[in-house]
Amino acid sequence: MIARHESDVVVIGGGLFGAFTGLFLARRGLRVTLFERGLIGAEASATNFGNLRLHGRSARQYPLSIRAQALWESYEALTGETCEIERTGHLYFARSDEGAQTLRHDVATAQRFGVTSTLLEGDQLHARYPFLAADIALAAFSPRSAVANPRLSTPPVARALQRAGGQVYEQAEVTAVEAVSGGFVLQTRQGHRCAAPVLVNAAGAWSGALAAQFGEAVPMFSAGPPQFVTEPLPYRLHPSVHMVEGDVIVRQIARGNIIFSGYPRTHSQPGGAVTHVPPFKTLRGMQMLARAIPMLARAEVIRVWSGVEGYLPDMLPVIGASSTTPGLFHAFGGSGGGFQIAPAVGEALAALIAGEAEVPMLAGYGIDRFAGAAEVSGKIHREFDALA
């Protein structure tokens, strides 16, 4: 039996971009239906490091990032639940001259947008953070930056969407999308048929195929960082610690486990089904971690994983209206930084869809910036393995 739905907006994708967009639309009184081919929040939204960082953003992204941080700080009020958000602060350190230059630039950029980020050098740095290796001479601390448990972050948003009147379907893979007069008609493999005047493409690393269907091919590719977690250890690492050059991103949770992420990221398998972590990357990660924080040299790794994340060459997401199809909106390509900005992406896109006003913070994120660029081109950042 086919289940039929009539909605104002249908969202494809149950990650944070899709769930927050649906939530803010439903709270405006719109009828929202969200389809997720697997489980809510089970892909990139769940497998990332969990950073809520306000340091190291591009100047273009700070308006979104600052608004998003305020929404994360009110997450419990928004959803009625928690996802282990902790304002640990983030400590960034540099090992190279190039890294030091980047760090100073990032501090200046953060301060320009009113975000506190303080440089620490030499004896002052090591008196405050004695766990850092003695040869690290420059760091910066961003006190408002925080962390969350990514595995717990998306389901509460989806449940809040349902309480606001939205419909959420898991294990509902969309197999056909057709633009018709006045909107779109969708069919799922499980028998749902949904019609709506507005369609939101928030299918994560798989969004490119849907965009291409409407004549908007983008040079997106799928990858994920090598990540691992150690045995529980005495709790000594209070801030989240980041190496500017990207080789070490590490934090300790209250239970004592050390969570690690780092570069270079690994490209996903063909079709984007999975991203493997080669064993040498785990070994290299432990070596880099021990160099930066010697007290962790003998930590035992107990689990390794990665995710399937969508990346674009400019390392910025696509957010906004389609350039070819009225009623179609995109929200995908978080490019490794999408977790933190997700609440603001959803809020801003909902305002755009509802036609409430201009949304300046979405300027520059349109899909039209990739018009005619179907292949990955230009400089690929050092944090990725070379493209095959």
Side-chain angles (χ1 to χ4, degrees), residues 58-146:
S58 69
R60 182 191 302 181
Q61 202 165 84
Y62 263 107
L64 268 177
S65 185
I66 292 169
R67 176 56 186 159
Q69 203 76 351
L71 290 169
W72 280 112
E73 289 165 354
S74 60
Y75 180 91
E76 189 169 354
L78 278 172
T79 68
E81 302 181 52
T82 65
C83 62
E84 298 180 358
I85 295 172
E86 184 181 2
R87 188 187 287 192
T88 59
H90 288 190
L91 179 66
Y92 287 79
F93 70 91
R95 298 211 83 133
S96 65
D97 291 342
E98 181 181 1
Q101 183 177 357
T102 298
L103 183 58
R104 293 181 187 279
H105 175 269
D106 287 346
V107 168
T109 303
Q111 292 174 347
R112 180 155 58 93
F113 285 90
V115 174
T116 300
S117 187
T118 305
L119 280 171
L120 301 165
E121 301 186 59
D123 293 342
Q124 179 191 25
L125 170 62
H126 288 281
R128 186 167 172 179
Y129 300 108
F131 55 77
L132 288 177
D135 63 337
I136 295 173
L138 181 68
F141 184 67
S142 173
R144 192 180 174 190
S145 294

Side-chain angles (χ1 to χ4, degrees), residues 10-30:
V10 61
V11 179
I12 300 178
L16 280 173
F17 279 14
F20 269 118
T21 301
L23 173 59
F24 285 112
L25 286 168
R27 289 192 169 179
R28 285 167 166 80
L30 278 72

Side-chain angles (χ1 to χ4, degrees), residues 74-381:
S74 60
Y75 180 91
E76 189 169 354
L78 278 172
T79 68
E81 302 181 52
T82 65
C83 62
E84 298 180 358
I85 295 172
E86 184 181 2
R87 188 187 287 192
T88 59
H90 288 190
L91 179 66
Y92 287 79
F93 70 91
R95 298 211 83 133
S96 65
D97 291 342
E98 181 181 1
Q101 183 177 357
T102 298
L103 183 58
R104 293 181 187 279
H105 175 269
D106 287 346
V107 168
T109 303
Q111 292 174 347
R112 180 155 58 93
F113 285 90
V115 174
T116 300
S117 187
T118 305
L119 280 171
L120 301 165
E121 301 186 59
D123 293 342
Q124 179 191 25
L125 170 62
H126 288 281
R128 186 167 172 179
Y129 300 108
F131 55 77
L132 288 177
D135 63 337
I136 295 173
L138 181 68
F141 184 67
S142 173
R144 192 180 174 190
S145 294
V147 295
N149 187 333
R151 295 183 180 276
L152 302 180
S153 64
T154 314
V157 183
R159 288 190 284 268
L161 166 57
Q162 290 175 304
R163 291 194 298 273
Q167 296 179 303
V168 176
Y169 294 93
E170 296 181 294
Q171 305 286 4
E173 181 181 1
V174 174
T175 55
V177 181
E178 182 182 2
V180 298
S181 177
F184 305 86
V185 175
L186 286 76
Q187 183 82 36
T188 74
R189 190 177 304 280
Q190 291 71 24
H192 302 278
R193 187 179 186 276
C194 185
V198 174
L199 171 64
V200 177
N201 173 20
W206 298 269
S207 294
L210 182 57
Q213 180 180 331
F214 292 95
E216 297 181 296
V218 293
M220 189 165 70
F221 58 96
S222 299
Q227 299 181 86
F228 60 74
V229 62
T230 75
E231 61 184 324
L233 299 168
Y235 188 70
R236 295 176 181 170
L237 198 64
H238 302 296
S240 183
V241 181
H242 303 242
M243 182 176 173
V244 172
E245 293 84 352
D247 298 301
V248 173
I249 305 170
V250 63
R251 63 187 175 98
Q252 187 171 25
I253 62 174
R255 290 181 291 275
N257 306 81
I258 301 293
I259 300 175
F260 172 94
S261 182
Y263 304 156
R265 295 177 175 95
T266 304
H267 285 267
S268 302
Q269 295 297 296
V274 67
T275 304
H276 293 298
V277 180
F280 80 87
K281 288 195 173 183
T282 302
L283 293 173
R284 180 184 182 276
M286 277 303 303
Q287 291 167 355
M288 298 301 296
L289 180 58
R291 280 189 58 203
I293 305 176
M295 71 179 184
L296 299 179
R298 299 182 66 83
E300 296 282 347
V301 174
I302 61 174
R303 185 167 67 87
V304 176
W305 75 94
S306 189
V308 179
E309 302 176 344
Y311 291 86
L312 292 158
D314 59 5
M315 298 295 284
L316 294 171
V318 165
I319 315 164
S322 165
S323 61
T324 64
T325 309
L328 174 62
F329 294 83
H330 300 292
F332 65 83
S335 299
F339 183 75
Q340 190 270 340
I341 63 172
V345 169
E347 182 185 56
L349 191 58
L352 184 67
I353 291 169
E356 294 177 358
E358 292 294 320
V359 187
M361 68 175 58
L362 295 185
Y365 291 104
I367 198 168
D368 56 350
R369 73 186 193 267
F370 296 113
E375 301 295 330
V376 176
S377 59
K379 180 182 178 182
I380 301 300
H381 292 62

